[in-house]
Amino acid sequence: MIYMRLFTILLAASFMVIVFYGDLATVTSLLAGLCGGFVAVVAAQNNTIAKLKTLEKRVEELQATTLPR
């Protein structure tokens, strides 16, 4: 899953920044931002998948009612 790779890259980059700047407030804010962003991306993906499944079911229902068998 590409989101996990991106999350891992961002996490590694944030730790590199922490090593160079070394501030506890920076650590907590970066981690909070990364976790929040990851949750937002996953939630958006799940929402999109749910909408697509609903749309597919609706199309199948419409096809079943309009096509003679």
Side-chain angles (χ1 to χ4, degrees):
M1 187 169 163
I2 191 147
Y3 299 115
M4 291 302 292
R5 289 183 184 175
L6 289 175
F7 180 72
T8 305
I9 291 168
L10 289 174
L11 190 62
S14 69
F15 284 133
M16 288 174 50
V17 168
I18 292 165
V19 167
F20 288 119
Y21 294 105
D23 188 333
L24 186 59
T26 306
V27 171
T28 56
S29 65
L30 283 174
L31 290 177
L34 285 172
C35 291
F38 181 72
V39 168
V41 167
V42 171
Q45 181 186 15
N46 288 341
N47 189 23
T48 302
I49 290 171
K51 285 182 180 180
L52 286 174
K53 286 182 181 179
T54 303
L55 183 62
E56 286 176 354
K57 287 180 185 177
R58 181 68 179 142
V59 168
E60 288 174 358
E61 290 172 1
L62 289 173
Q63 286 177 343
T65 58
T66 58
L67 294 176
R69 291 188 180 192

